[in-house]
Amino acid sequence: MDLLALPLNVEERLREASHVVAFSGAGLSAESGLGTFRGADGLWTQFRPEELASPEGFSRHPSRVWDWYLSRYRAIAAADPNPGHRAIASWAPRFPSLTIVTQNIDGLHQRAGSDDVLELHGSLLRARCSRCDRPLPMAEVVGWPGSPPACDDCGGKLRPDVVWFGEILPEEVLAAAIAGTEESDVFVAVGTSATVYPAAGLIELAYRQRALVIEINPEETTLSSLAGLCLRGPAGQELPRLTEAIERCRSAPR
Ligand code: OAD
């Protein structure tokens, strides 16, 4: 691994940082073999989000929506966390406080060893009843008959426990993400196109709060101009490099 040379002001901010936020999007899991949404091969270039990721789409074609999420669940279950997820997991003991916020629904941060991950868009590791809201582990219901299977409490249709377009983000999760961002002195946005709100608004909030924003993305995004440091490479490469630089500057004598 070639060493990351940081500008002096960035090194200083990382050395002094007491509250760090890691904010992730689909690009973080790309090297685990899971697709992103936008870009050349993105899921939303092959499928229409309003058909597959909206309450209206589910009412019209419940079976199509359920089967699509089931195939994504199977891909997630077969995937492993990559060095990017593991690098973020290794930050917990390095900073007095770390908040991990993700738009991903794949549970790979947790499988890499991170606790208390704020999942803004829910989790595909859970299903819930669209009528009574009862949550169930997806691993339990994949074998149930029916597409979608019926809730065994009320008979309602099960749906993935994810946030669809037109739905409200889980209130407490969003509030915790905002609170973490307000406290942050370093905010690392990795693998997100920064186009979906309110999630992307966290980057703007961090910038307004004068946190150092670090963007990790092979491509420029609409919010790149807010970043004090852009690492233009894949997360699985840049996060370990950044972690090594963090270790170097935080262990150096002051
Ligand atoms: P996008 O697909 O919009 O963006 C993925 C970003 O990851 C792009 O900017 C890529 O350049 C970048 N990328 C690709 N490979 C990468 C790699 N190896 N390392 C680092 N970055 C890489 O995904 P999100 O920003 O997560 O919401 O999308 C946000 C939301 O839009 C999703 O949570 C989902 C989607 O519709 C819902 O379904 C509600």
Side-chain angles (χ1 to χ4, degrees):
M1 176 169 70
D2 61 330
L3 294 186
L4 182 63
L6 294 173
L8 271 181
N9 64 325
V10 170
E11 207 165 285
E12 178 73 21
R13 299 290 295 271
L14 285 172
R15 186 184 308 134
E16 302 298 331
S18 54
H19 192 120
V20 172
V21 172
F23 173 61
S24 62
L28 175 61
S29 296
E31 289 155 88
S32 294
L34 302 176
T36 62
F37 295 94
R38 297 167 185 84
D41 303 321
L43 290 169
W44 294 156
T45 59
Q46 304 160 51
F47 305 101
R48 289 159 64 90
E50 59 275 30
E51 278 178 17
L52 292 171
S54 74
E56 297 76 24
F58 184 62
S59 315
R60 270 197 298 271
H61 303 291
S63 172
R64 187 194 297 173
V65 172
W66 179 259
D67 289 351
W68 187 69
Y69 277 97
L70 208 53
S71 74
R72 287 184 62 203
Y73 169 74
R74 292 202 165 104
I76 284 169
D80 289 315
N82 67 54
H85 297 102
R86 287 196 288 275
I88 291 174
S90 79
W91 292 356
R94 290 178 212 265
F95 298 102
S97 167
L98 171 71
T99 304
I100 301 176
V101 185
T102 189
Q103 300 164 88
N104 298 343
I105 57 175
D106 55 29
L108 290 184
H109 277 295
Q110 293 90 329
R111 281 175 55 202
S114 293
D115 300 320
D116 300 327
V117 179
L118 299 173
E119 296 178 307
L120 288 177
H121 293 164
S123 173
L124 192 43
L125 305 190
R126 288 187 308 268
R128 77 177 151 85
C129 176
S130 57
R131 189 186 296 162
C132 73
D133 269 346
R134 175 182 174 211
L136 286 155
M138 191 60 99
E140 201 177 295
V141 302
V142 283
W144 289 10
S147 170
C151 171
D152 57 4
D153 263 1
C154 76
K157 290 184 178 64
L158 295 189
R159 56 164 284 178
D161 195 5
V162 301
V163 176
W164 281 331
F165 289 99
E167 294 185 322
I168 292 167
L169 272 59
E171 215 172 300
E172 283 172 20
V173 178
L174 180 59
I178 290 172
T181 303
E182 281 173 341
E183 275 177 40
S184 67
D185 25 41
V186 173
F187 185 101
V188 182
V190 51
T192 178
S193 60
T195 47
V196 174
Y197 285 77
L202 295 173
I203 303 175
E204 294 164 324
L205 177 60
Y207 176 79
R208 282 201 305 276
Q209 299 288 129
R210 302 187 189 285
L212 166 70
V213 175
I214 299 178
E215 178 178 79
I216 301 179
N217 197 315
E219 292 180 20
E220 201 172 317
T221 71
T222 47
L223 297 185
S224 294
S225 61
L226 307 186
L229 176 71
C230 292
L231 301 176
R232 293 268 168 258
Q237 170 190 298
E238 298 304 322
L239 278 165
R241 289 175 83 220
L242 178 64
T243 303
E244 188 278 333
I246 289 170
E247 196 169 51
R248 210 173 347 120
C249 67
R250 288 182 76 89
S251 59
R254 305 194 176 201

